[in-house]
Amino acid sequence: MSQPADLVINARWIIPVEPADVTLEHHAVAIRNGTIIDLLPQDLARTRYQANRTVSLPDHVLIPGLINLHAHCPMALMRGIADDLPLMRWLHEAIWPAEGKHVSSTFVREGTLLATAEMLRGGITTCNEMYFHPAAAAEAFDLLGMRAVIGLTALEFPTPYASDADDYLRKGLAARDAWHGHPLIDFALAPHAPYTVSDSTLARIATLAAELDIPIHMHIHETAQEVTDSLAQYGKRPLARLAGLDLLGDNFIGVHAVHLDDADIELLQHHRCSVAHCPTSNMKLASGIAPVARLLASGIRTGLGTDGAASNNRLDLFQEIRHASLLAKVSTLDATAVPAHSALRLATLNGAQALGLGDRIGSIETGKAADLCAVALDSFETRPCFNPASHLVHVAGREHVSHVWVAGEIRVDKGNAVLQLNDTELLGFAALWQTKLSN
Ligand SMILES: [Zn+2]
């Protein structure tokens, strides 16, 4: 007797990510109420399920939706505004002055809409976000139907959004209260960085994160200068200082983690922290190369992030997957470092687990949300194809993404975005803010 399904997707290849290192051929995914109810051979699926809709992907590889473990979505409006500068000059001379003048809830909403559309069309279904005006970001993710964990940013200095650390946290927690329980939207505490947040605020954030049982999302050890400055000011490296403030734990996501010594790696390992590796941003700002192969060998959960579009300048996880794999190889002079299946795991299940969402997303398994990405390998630049996992890392790009589903809802169909806003409306936001930012 056949069972009902909303959707059955038949794919040439399926890489479920869990179990590891597996590529299934001629399998199908059955979906009901936004949830994966089965993963099985296509022959069996035809007899077992009566589907309302069937999608055939005869030359495609189906993978879990990609998880962007670090982004600043509204910075899509500042894409390319200041390139070829190191981090501190980039922040002080370009980014912070522009933000001081222009950031508003409208800026955040419209920038997040632009970034969300870009990410969805590129196969990204979840974004771990850090910026101002979290309620405006939530509106944007909700409108376009993307899963997000929105950081409640804290800084000591005033911006147009908030006056001091208490004000940032108060406003952030109010946004969380307003959106609490949304099926696609969760929240994290997001102290910006060790050099912009005081000990007392960090201690308060550690307590709040434990009370609310939510992640902490923070830039750490991005540049060598950050470590030197911390030693001069606090007599400790940043991670040692954070450990002393009880900030480190399995809910802590340290972004960048480029400049790490043995003791830093031991701290991350001991506290079961996660790392969000942002290879393109680190290369572009010349911050350095995070020791990803060593982090993984130490059992430290590592995911991938794009960072903001002002320091990347693409919100493209296929690019991050490729850069992560290539940088790991060249920096260790070991071509076996971060092989294809591992690279895909960084961008999917590792990110999900870092966010505390490992039981809901990040792999194609029964009971998980149907957050899925299909990549077409039918064009001549993707042929021949001996190993689809390797192709996803070294050959295919976001331009080959054909279908995207979030919780079983179609967001990209045959390469076209299926969103509440059309391309003309999205381009309008970019044009409007380019004019404002140019004046
Ligand atoms: Zn960042």
Side-chain angles (χ1 to χ4, degrees), residues 9 57 60-63 372-376 400-405:
I9 304 167
L57 304 172
H60 305 62
V61 52
L62 188 70
I63 57 173
L372 301 166
C373 167
V375 182
H400 299 111
V401 169
S402 62
H403 295 73
V404 175
W405 291 267

Side-chain angles (χ1 to χ4, degrees), residues 67-261:
I67 296 176
N68 187 354
L69 197 55
H70 180 63
H72 310 285
C73 286
M75 296 179 98
L77 297 173
M78 296 191 280
R79 193 194 311 273
I81 199 170
D83 291 340
D84 307 318
L85 290 173
L87 177 68
M88 286 304 160
R89 283 190 59 203
W90 178 80
L91 281 174
H92 285 275
E93 294 174 22
I95 299 303
W96 286 343
E99 289 181 338
K101 210 167 144 194
H102 295 288
V103 167
S104 64
S105 60
T106 308
F107 178 94
V108 169
R109 183 175 176 278
E110 295 180 355
T112 305
L113 288 168
L114 195 62
T116 300
E118 178 183 357
M119 290 191 286
L120 283 169
R121 197 156 67 183
I124 299 169
T125 53
T126 299
C127 177
N128 186 33
E129 169 64 2
M130 180 197 284
Y131 207 69
F132 309 111
H133 295 283
E139 273 178 45
F141 289 121
D142 174 58
L143 182 65
L144 298 191
M146 185 173 192
R147 200 180 295 279
V149 177
I150 301 174
L152 310 178
T153 300
L155 288 165
E156 298 301 333
F157 57 82
T159 61
Y161 168 56
S163 56
D164 58 21
D166 281 349
D167 196 25
Y168 284 97
L169 288 172
R170 191 165 46 243
K171 286 175 172 156
L173 292 170
R176 178 181 176 272
D177 288 345
W179 286 86
H180 191 61
H182 189 287
L184 297 181
I185 294 174
D186 290 292
F187 291 87
L189 287 156
H192 171 262
Y195 56 91
T196 48
V197 187
S198 70
D199 282 1
S200 61
T201 301
L202 291 174
R204 191 171 158 220
I205 285 170
T207 308
L208 272 173
E211 277 173 17
L212 302 173
D213 192 22
I214 60 176
I216 297 171
H217 175 193
M218 184 177 195
H219 299 100
I220 53 154
H221 291 234
E222 182 173 3
T223 61
Q225 189 67 43
E226 173 189 336
V227 178
T228 310
D229 290 350
S230 176
L231 283 166
Q233 191 176 348
Y234 300 99
K236 289 176 181 171
R237 295 169 68 85
L239 272 168
R241 177 175 156 236
L242 301 185
L245 296 165
D246 284 332
L247 209 71
L248 302 187
D250 66 0
N251 64 337
F252 183 88
I253 303 164
V255 180
H256 299 307
V258 171
H259 297 274
L260 302 175
D261 67 10

Side-chain angles (χ1 to χ4, degrees), residues 31 108 158 175 180 205 262 265 279 282 337 342 381 386 394:
I31 295 158
V108 169
H180 191 61
I205 285 170
D262 291 351
I265 290 177
N282 295 158
S342 302
E381 75 269 22
F386 299 102
H394 298 294

Side-chain angles (χ1 to χ4, degrees), residues 215 250 253 351-360:
D250 66 0
I253 303 164
Q353 290 170 338
L355 293 168
L357 299 176
D359 58 340
R360 286 162 57 188

